[in-house]
Amino acid sequence: QVQLVESGGGLVQAGGSLRLSCAASGRTFSNYVLGWFRQAPGREREFAAAISWSSGRTYYSDSVKGRFTISRDNGKNTVYLQMNSLKPEDTAVYSCAAGREFNARYGPTEDLLYAYWGQGTQVTVSS
């Protein structure tokens, strides 16, 4: 049974940093992509970043590119999201997700690619 457990959320002032972690278990993720999505109150879930477990190729939304960095530690089966220069508009519940990388219909930036989801962790950025 696949489990994704996020941690590292919290309250931070604008301009500050946080690092989110996603501990993955329950299967081998070598053909998977791991992604971070976020959802703010009253808004739809949106893609933030993703990484190929095997190649390390990364994907970012325009809104986080240059400020967020996604990485993985294969030995620990953990994916990280380093978030710098945080803005109040980054406030959201951040969720980790896993999906098969080679999908004919959906790409790594689309939530329909992802079959497994964590519970999420709250990130609040104060102005």
Side-chain angles (χ1 to χ4, degrees), residues 44-68:
E44 291 188 357
R45 182 167 58 194
E46 66 170 356
F47 168 77
I51 187 167
S52 166
W53 197 265
S54 56
S55 71
R57 180 179 178 180
T58 58
Y59 308 81
Y60 296 97
S61 68
D62 288 343
S63 60
V64 309
K65 194 176 297 181
R67 300 187 298 122
F68 291 11

Side-chain angles (χ1 to χ4, degrees), residues 13-33:
Q13 288 189 330
S17 299
L18 281 175
R19 189 177 80 156
L20 305 183
S21 299
C22 173
S25 62
R27 68 161 300 122
T28 301
F29 292 95
S30 56
N31 295 319
Y32 275 65
V33 60

Side-chain angles (χ1 to χ4, degrees), residues 3-7 20-25 34-36 53 71 73 76-81 95-98 118:
Q3 279 196 313
L4 303 172
V5 180
E6 303 97 334
S7 61
L20 305 183
S21 299
C22 173
S25 62
L34 278 290
W36 286 98
W53 197 265
S71 62
D73 184 329
K76 294 183 179 179
N77 259 23
T78 300
V79 173
Y80 304 98
L81 186 67
S95 297
C96 177

